[in-house]
Amino acid sequence: MNKFYRLLSVVTLALSVALWSCKGDQGPQGPTGPQGPQGITGATGPTGATGPTGATGATGATGATGKDGNSNVKYAEVTVKVADWKTVSAAGIGTGATGQTGAVDIPDANVSATSVVMAYVKVGSQWLGLPRVIIKETDGATEQVNYAFETGKVTFFYSSQTAAIGGIKSYKPQTDLTFSYVTVEKTLRLSMESEGVNINSREAVDSYLKSHQ
């Protein structure tokens, strides 16, 4: 029996030595494997509900009713550029000869057959009633600004001369001119004149019209 165990021990030792002797060096690292498929994206959560619309604010108070204007009175203001003036023939009055003047037409549907127009030109901060004629005392140089009206339009006129005799004439001003005019019914114009209103004063006309609205 003892011989049997000795023999078994020798065989086991011999197999262990043989197995150890057969173990080789570690081989090279293998290639990286392919990337695995991407995982499934999780589902998006539901959108939250829209909040309720806020209450409408209170309506503001209605403004006070303005004072009625005078339907027989129409105001207008216009600035005429230097380039707007055209040289036209000006018919003489009575036996006067036809001459030339600068003119510009302002269409206005408020001017009717029963209307009267009062016009003013602005000089600095003042409104001067038309017609406006200035004669220079030293040499007789003149400057004239006038106007006319007919159904559907108002026409402004301008001319100047540097000296009374042989002076240079011009049919347009050197700067833009601002005009203001008021269109009223003829009966209203007569009422103003009968009450002594200075028609050539824009302020006086304004004051009268405002007090008779």
Side-chain angles (χ1 to χ4, degrees), residues 100-167:
Q100 287 187 315
T101 187
V104 61
D105 291 331
I106 307 297
D108 192 330
N110 293 315
V111 183
S112 68
T114 60
S115 298
V116 174
V117 174
M118 295 169 287
Y120 310 86
V121 63
K122 194 170 188 178
V123 179
S125 60
Q126 292 183 322
W127 289 100
L128 304 178
L130 298 183
R132 176 72 172 174
V133 180
I134 298 176
I135 300 175
K136 191 174 180 181
E137 295 180 355
T138 55
D139 58 3
T142 60
E143 183 180 48
Q144 302 181 58
V145 186
N146 208 339
Y147 76 105
F149 61 91
E150 60 183 281
T151 301
K153 73 175 182 179
V154 177
T155 302
F156 293 101
F157 301 103
Y158 178 90
S159 65
S160 65
Q161 186 169 323
T162 57
I165 300 177

Coordinates of all heavy atoms in Angstrom, one line a residue, residues 100-167:
Q100 N -44.1 140.6 -65.1 CA -43.7 139.3 -64.6 C -43.7 139.3 -63.1 O -43.4 140.4 -62.5 CB -42.4 138.9 -65.2 CG -42.4 138.5 -66.7 CD -41.1 138.0 -67.2 OE1 -40.0 138.5 -66.9 NE2 -41.1 136.9 -67.9
T101 N -43.9 138.2 -62.6 CA -43.8 138.0 -61.1 C -43.5 136.5 -60.8 O -43.7 135.7 -61.6 CB -45.1 138.5 -60.4 OG1 -44.9 138.5 -59.0 CG2 -46.2 137.6 -60.7
G102 N -43.1 136.3 -59.6 CA -42.9 134.9 -59.1 C -44.2 134.4 -58.5 O -44.9 135.2 -57.8
A103 N -44.6 133.2 -58.7 CA -45.9 132.7 -58.2 C -45.8 131.2 -57.9 O -45.0 130.5 -58.4 CB -47.0 132.9 -59.3
V104 N -46.6 130.8 -56.9 CA -46.8 129.4 -56.5 C -48.2 129.2 -56.2 O -48.8 129.9 -55.4 CB -45.8 129.0 -55.4 CG1 -46.1 129.8 -54.1 CG2 -45.9 127.6 -55.1
D105 N -48.8 128.1 -56.8 CA -50.2 127.7 -56.5 C -50.3 126.7 -55.4 O -49.5 125.7 -55.4 CB -50.8 127.2 -57.8 CG -51.0 128.2 -58.9 OD1 -51.2 129.4 -58.5 OD2 -51.0 127.8 -60.1
I106 N -51.2 126.9 -54.5 CA -51.5 126.0 -53.4 C -52.9 125.5 -53.6 O -53.9 126.2 -53.3 CB -51.4 126.6 -52.0 CG1 -50.0 127.3 -51.9 CG2 -51.6 125.6 -50.9 CD1 -48.8 126.4 -52.0
P107 N -53.1 124.3 -54.1 CA -54.5 123.7 -54.2 C -55.2 123.6 -52.9 O -54.5 123.1 -51.9 CB -54.2 122.3 -54.9 CG -52.9 122.4 -55.5 CD -52.1 123.3 -54.6
D108 N -56.4 123.9 -52.8 CA -57.2 123.8 -51.5 C -58.7 123.7 -51.8 O -59.3 124.7 -52.2 CB -56.9 125.1 -50.6 CG -57.4 124.9 -49.2 OD1 -58.4 124.2 -49.0 OD2 -56.8 125.4 -48.3
A109 N -59.2 122.6 -51.6 CA -60.6 122.3 -51.9 C -61.5 123.1 -50.9 O -62.8 123.2 -51.2 CB -60.9 120.8 -51.8
N110 N -61.0 123.7 -49.8 CA -61.9 124.5 -48.9 C -62.2 125.8 -49.5 O -63.1 126.5 -48.9 CB -61.2 124.6 -47.6 CG -61.0 123.3 -46.8 OD1 -62.0 122.5 -46.7 ND2 -59.8 123.0 -46.3
V111 N -61.5 126.3 -50.5 CA -61.8 127.6 -51.1 C -62.9 127.4 -52.1 O -62.7 126.8 -53.2 CB -60.5 128.2 -51.7 CG1 -60.8 129.6 -52.3 CG2 -59.3 128.2 -50.8
S112 N -64.0 127.9 -51.8 CA -65.2 127.8 -52.6 C -65.6 129.2 -53.2 O -65.0 130.2 -52.9 CB -66.4 127.2 -51.9 OG -66.8 128.1 -50.9
A113 N -66.6 129.2 -54.0 CA -67.1 130.4 -54.6 C -67.6 131.4 -53.6 O -67.7 132.6 -53.8 CB -68.2 130.1 -55.6
T114 N -68.0 130.9 -52.4 CA -68.5 131.8 -51.4 C -67.5 132.1 -50.3 O -67.8 132.6 -49.2 CB -69.8 131.2 -50.7 OG1 -69.4 129.9 -50.1 CG2 -70.9 131.0 -51.7
S115 N -66.2 131.7 -50.5 CA -65.2 131.9 -49.5 C -64.4 133.2 -49.7 O -64.4 133.8 -50.8 CB -64.2 130.8 -49.6 OG -64.8 129.5 -49.3
V116 N -63.8 133.6 -48.6 CA -62.8 134.7 -48.6 C -61.6 134.2 -47.9 O -61.7 133.5 -46.9 CB -63.4 136.0 -47.8 CG1 -62.3 137.0 -47.7 CG2 -64.6 136.5 -48.6
V117 N -60.4 134.5 -48.4 CA -59.2 134.1 -47.8 C -58.4 135.3 -47.3 O -58.3 136.3 -47.9 CB -58.3 133.3 -48.9 CG1 -56.9 133.0 -48.3 CG2 -59.0 132.1 -49.4
M118 N -57.9 135.1 -46.1 CA -57.0 136.1 -45.4 C -55.7 135.4 -45.3 O -55.6 134.4 -44.7 CB -57.6 136.6 -44.1 CG -58.9 137.3 -44.3 SD -59.7 137.6 -42.7 CE -60.3 136.0 -42.3
A119 N -54.6 136.1 -45.8 CA -53.3 135.4 -45.8 C -52.2 136.2 -45.1 O -52.3 137.5 -45.0 CB -52.8 135.1 -47.2
Y120 N -51.2 135.5 -44.5 CA -50.1 136.1 -43.8 C -48.8 135.4 -44.1 O -48.8 134.3 -44.5 CB -50.4 136.0 -42.3 CG -51.8 136.4 -41.9 CD1 -52.8 135.5 -41.9 CD2 -52.1 137.7 -41.5 CE1 -54.1 135.8 -41.6 CE2 -53.4 138.1 -41.1 CZ -54.4 137.1 -41.2 OH -55.7 137.5 -40.9
V121 N -47.7 136.2 -44.0 CA -46.4 135.6 -44.2 C -45.6 135.8 -42.9 O -45.7 136.8 -42.2 CB -45.6 136.3 -45.3 CG1 -45.4 137.8 -45.0 CG2 -44.3 135.6 -45.6
K122 N -44.8 134.7 -42.6 CA -44.1 134.8 -41.3 C -42.7 135.4 -41.5 O -41.9 135.0 -42.4 CB -43.9 133.3 -40.8 CG -43.5 133.3 -39.3 CD -43.6 131.9 -38.8 CE -43.3 131.9 -37.3 NZ -43.4 130.5 -36.7
V123 N -42.4 136.4 -40.7 CA -41.1 137.1 -40.7 C -40.5 137.0 -39.3 O -41.1 137.7 -38.4 CB -41.2 138.5 -41.2 CG1 -39.8 139.2 -41.2 CG2 -41.8 138.6 -42.6
G124 N -39.5 136.2 -39.1 CA -39.0 135.9 -37.7 C -40.1 135.2 -36.9 O -40.6 134.1 -37.3
S125 N -40.6 135.8 -35.8 CA -41.6 135.3 -35.0 C -43.0 135.9 -35.3 O -44.0 135.6 -34.6 CB -41.3 135.4 -33.5 OG -41.1 136.7 -33.2
Q126 N -43.0 136.9 -36.2 CA -44.2 137.7 -36.5 C -44.9 137.1 -37.7 O -44.3 136.7 -38.7 CB -43.9 139.1 -36.7 CG -43.4 139.8 -35.4 CD -43.2 141.3 -35.7 OE1 -42.7 141.7 -36.7 NE2 -43.6 142.2 -34.7
W127 N -46.3 137.3 -37.7 CA -47.1 137.0 -38.9 C -47.5 138.4 -39.4 O -48.2 139.2 -38.7 CB -48.3 136.2 -38.5 CG -48.0 134.8 -38.2 CD1 -47.9 134.2 -37.0 CD2 -47.7 133.7 -39.1 NE1 -47.6 132.9 -37.1 CE2 -47.5 132.5 -38.4 CE3 -47.7 133.6 -40.5 CZ2 -47.2 131.3 -39.0 CZ3 -47.4 132.4 -41.1 CH2 -47.2 131.3 -40.4
L128 N -47.2 138.7 -40.7 CA -47.5 139.9 -41.3 C -48.6 139.7 -42.3 O -48.5 138.8 -43.2 CB -46.3 140.6 -42.0 CG -45.0 140.7 -41.1 CD1 -43.9 141.3 -41.9 CD2 -45.4 141.7 -39.9
G129 N -49.6 140.6 -42.3 CA -50.8 140.5 -43.2 C -50.3 140.8 -44.6 O -49.5 141.7 -44.8
L130 N -50.9 140.1 -45.6 CA -50.6 140.4 -47.0 C -51.7 141.2 -47.6 O -52.9 141.1 -47.2 CB -50.5 139.0 -47.8 CG -49.4 138.1 -47.3 CD1 -49.3 136.9 -48.2 CD2 -48.0 138.8 -47.4
P131 N -51.4 142.1 -48.6 CA -50.1 142.2 -49.2 C -49.1 142.9 -48.4 O -49.4 143.8 -47.5 CB -50.4 143.0 -50.5 CG -51.6 143.9 -50.1 CD -52.4 143.0 -49.1
R132 N -47.8 142.6 -48.6 CA -46.7 143.2 -47.9 C -45.7 143.8 -48.9 O -45.2 143.2 -49.8 CB -45.9 142.1 -47.1 CG -44.7 142.6 -46.4 CD -45.0 143.4 -45.2 NE -43.8 143.7 -44.4 CZ -43.8 144.6 -43.4 NH1 -44.9 145.2 -43.0 NH2 -42.7 144.8 -42.7
V133 N -45.6 145.2 -48.8 CA -44.7 145.9 -49.8 C -43.7 146.7 -49.0 O -44.1 147.5 -48.1 CB -45.5 146.9 -50.7 CG1 -44.6 147.6 -51.6 CG2 -46.6 146.1 -51.5
I134 N -42.4 146.5 -49.2 CA -41.4 147.2 -48.6 C -40.6 148.0 -49.6 O -40.2 147.5 -50.6 CB -40.4 146.3 -47.8 CG1 -41.2 145.5 -46.7 CG2 -39.3 147.0 -47.2 CD1 -40.3 144.5 -46.0
I135 N -40.4 149.3 -49.3 CA -39.6 150.2 -50.2 C -38.5 150.8 -49.4 O -38.7 151.5 -48.4 CB -40.5 151.4 -50.8 CG1 -41.7 150.8 -51.6 CG2 -39.7 152.3 -51.7 CD1 -42.6 151.8 -52.1
K136 N -37.3 150.5 -49.9 CA -36.1 151.0 -49.2 C -35.9 152.5 -49.5 O -35.8 152.9 -50.7 CB -34.9 150.2 -49.6 CG -33.6 150.4 -48.8 CD -32.5 149.5 -49.2 CE -31.3 149.7 -48.4 NZ -30.2 148.7 -48.8
E137 N -35.8 153.3 -48.5 CA -35.7 154.8 -48.7 C -34.5 155.2 -49.4 O -34.5 156.2 -50.1 CB -35.8 155.5 -47.3 CG -37.2 155.3 -46.7 CD -37.3 156.0 -45.3 OE1 -36.2 156.6 -44.9 OE2 -38.3 156.0 -44.7
T138 N -33.3 154.6 -49.2 CA -32.1 155.1 -49.7 C -32.0 155.0 -51.2 O -31.5 155.9 -51.9 CB -30.9 154.3 -49.1 OG1 -31.1 152.9 -49.3 CG2 -30.8 154.6 -47.6
D139 N -32.5 153.9 -51.8 CA -32.3 153.7 -53.3 C -33.6 153.3 -54.0 O -33.7 153.0 -55.2 CB -31.2 152.7 -53.6 CG -31.5 151.3 -53.0 OD1 -32.5 151.2 -52.3 OD2 -30.6 150.5 -53.1
G140 N -34.7 153.1 -53.2 CA -36.0 152.8 -53.8 C -36.1 151.3 -54.1 O -37.1 150.9 -54.8
A141 N -35.2 150.5 -53.5 CA -35.3 149.0 -53.7 C -36.7 148.5 -53.1 O -37.1 149.1 -52.1 CB -34.2 148.3 -53.1
T142 N -37.3 147.5 -53.8 CA -38.6 147.1 -53.3 C -38.6 145.6 -53.2 O -37.9 144.8 -53.8 CB -39.7 147.5 -54.3 OG1 -39.4 146.9 -55.6 CG2 -39.8 149.0 -54.5
E143 N -39.6 145.2 -52.3 CA -39.9 143.7 -52.2 C -41.4 143.7 -52.0 O -41.9 144.3 -51.1 CB -39.1 143.1 -51.0 CG -39.4 141.6 -50.9 CD -38.7 141.0 -49.7 OE1 -38.8 141.5 -48.6 OE2 -38.1 139.9 -49.9
Q144 N -42.1 142.8 -52.7 CA -43.5 142.7 -52.7 C -43.9 141.2 -52.5 O -43.4 140.3 -53.2 CB -44.2 143.2 -53.9 CG -43.8 144.7 -54.2 CD -44.5 145.2 -55.4 OE1 -45.7 145.2 -55.6 NE2 -43.7 145.7 -56.4
V145 N -44.8 141.0 -51.6 CA -45.4 139.6 -51.4 C -46.9 139.8 -51.3 O -47.4 140.6 -50.6 CB -44.9 139.0 -50.0 CG1 -45.4 137.6 -50.0 CG2 -43.4 139.0 -49.9
N146 N -47.6 139.1 -52.2 CA -49.0 139.3 -52.3 C -49.7 137.9 -52.5 O -49.0 136.9 -52.5 CB -49.3 140.2 -53.5 CG -50.6 140.9 -53.3 OD1 -51.5 140.5 -52.5 ND2 -50.8 142.0 -54.0
Y147 N -51.0 137.9 -52.6 CA -51.7 136.6 -52.8 C -53.0 136.9 -53.5 O -53.5 138.0 -53.6 CB -51.9 135.9 -51.5 CG -53.1 136.5 -50.7 CD1 -54.3 135.8 -50.6 CD2 -52.9 137.7 -50.0 CE1 -55.4 136.4 -49.8 CE2 -54.0 138.2 -49.2 CZ -55.2 137.6 -49.1 OH -56.2 138.1 -48.4
A148 N -53.6 135.8 -54.1 CA -54.9 135.8 -54.7 C -55.5 134.5 -54.4 O -54.8 133.5 -54.1 CB -54.7 136.1 -56.2
F149 N -56.8 134.4 -54.6 CA -57.5 133.1 -54.4 C -58.7 133.0 -55.4 O -59.2 134.0 -55.9 CB -58.0 133.0 -53.0 CG -59.0 134.0 -52.6 CD1 -60.4 133.8 -52.7 CD2 -58.6 135.2 -52.0 CE1 -61.3 134.8 -52.3 CE2 -59.5 136.2 -51.6 CZ -60.8 136.0 -51.8
E150 N -59.0 131.8 -55.7 CA -60.1 131.5 -56.6 C -60.6 130.1 -56.1 O -59.9 129.4 -55.3 CB -59.8 131.5 -58.0 CG -58.7 130.5 -58.4 CD -58.3 130.7 -59.9 OE1 -59.1 130.1 -60.7 OE2 -57.3 131.3 -60.2
T151 N -61.7 129.7 -56.6 CA -62.3 128.4 -56.2 C -61.2 127.3 -56.4 O -60.7 127.1 -57.5 CB -63.5 128.0 -57.1 OG1 -64.5 129.0 -56.9 CG2 -64.1 126.7 -56.7
G152 N -60.9 126.6 -55.3 CA -60.0 125.5 -55.4 C -58.5 125.7 -55.2 O -57.7 124.8 -55.1
K153 N -58.1 127.0 -55.0 CA -56.7 127.2 -54.8 C -56.4 128.6 -54.3 O -57.2 129.6 -54.4 CB -55.9 127.0 -56.1 CG -56.1 128.1 -57.2 CD -55.2 127.9 -58.4 CE -55.3 129.0 -59.4 NZ -54.4 128.7 -60.6
V154 N -55.2 128.8 -53.7 CA -54.6 130.1 -53.3 C -53.3 130.2 -54.0 O -52.5 129.3 -54.1 CB -54.4 130.1 -51.7 CG1 -53.8 131.4 -51.3 CG2 -55.8 129.9 -51.0
T155 N -53.0 131.4 -54.5 CA -51.8 131.7 -55.2 C -51.0 132.8 -54.5 O -51.6 133.8 -54.1 CB -52.0 132.1 -56.6 OG1 -52.8 131.1 -57.3 CG2 -50.7 132.3 -57.4
F156 N -49.7 132.5 -54.2 CA -48.9 133.5 -53.6 C -47.9 134.1 -54.7 O -47.5 133.4 -55.6 CB -48.1 132.9 -52.4 CG -48.9 132.5 -51.3 CD1 -49.2 131.2 -51.1 CD2 -49.4 133.5 -50.4 CE1 -50.1 130.8 -50.0 CE2 -50.2 133.1 -49.3 CZ -50.5 131.7 -49.1
F157 N -47.6 135.4 -54.5 CA -46.8 136.1 -55.5 C -45.6 136.7 -54.8 O -45.7 137.2 -53.6 CB -47.6 137.2 -56.2 CG -48.8 136.7 -56.9 CD1 -50.0 136.9 -56.4 CD2 -48.6 136.1 -58.2 CE1 -51.1 136.5 -57.1 CE2 -49.7 135.7 -58.9 CZ -51.0 135.8 -58.3
Y158 N -44.4 136.8 -55.5 CA -43.2 137.5 -54.9 C -42.5 138.1 -56.1 O -42.3 137.6 -57.2 CB -42.3 136.4 -54.3 CG -41.0 137.1 -53.7 CD1 -41.0 137.5 -52.4 CD2 -39.9 137.2 -54.5 CE1 -39.8 138.2 -52.0 CE2 -38.8 137.8 -54.1 CZ -38.7 138.3 -52.8 OH -37.6 138.9 -52.3
S159 N -41.9 139.3 -55.8 CA -41.0 140.0 -56.7 C -40.2 141.0 -55.9 O -40.6 141.5 -54.8 CB -41.8 140.7 -57.8 OG -42.6 141.8 -57.3
S160 N -39.0 141.3 -56.4 CA -38.1 142.3 -55.7 C -37.3 143.0 -56.8 O -37.1 142.4 -57.9 CB -37.3 141.7 -54.7 OG -36.4 140.7 -55.2
Q161 N -36.8 144.2 -56.5 CA -35.9 144.9 -57.4 C -34.9 145.6 -56.5 O -35.3 146.3 -55.5 CB -36.7 145.8 -58.3 CG -35.8 146.5 -59.3 CD -36.7 147.3 -60.3 OE1 -37.7 146.8 -60.7 NE2 -36.2 148.4 -60.8
T162 N -33.6 145.5 -56.9 CA -32.5 146.1 -56.0 C -32.5 147.6 -56.0 O -32.0 148.2 -55.1 CB -31.2 145.6 -56.4 OG1 -31.0 145.9 -57.8 CG2 -31.1 144.1 -56.3
A163 N -33.1 148.3 -57.0 CA -33.1 149.7 -57.0 C -34.3 150.2 -57.9 O -34.8 149.4 -58.7 CB -31.8 150.3 -57.6
A164 N -34.7 151.4 -57.6 CA -35.9 151.9 -58.3 C -35.8 151.9 -59.8 O -36.7 151.6 -60.6 CB -36.3 153.3 -57.8
I165 N -34.6 152.3 -60.3 CA -34.3 152.4 -61.7 C -33.1 151.6 -62.1 O -32.0 151.8 -61.5 CB -34.1 153.9 -62.2 CG1 -35.3 154.8 -61.8 CG2 -33.7 154.0 -63.7 CD1 -35.1 156.2 -62.1
G166 N -33.3 150.7 -63.0 CA -32.2 149.8 -63.5 C -31.7 148.8 -62.5 O -30.7 148.2 -62.7
G167 N -32.5 148.5 -61.5 CA -32.1 147.5 -60.5 C -32.4 146.1 -61.0 O -33.1 145.9 -61.9

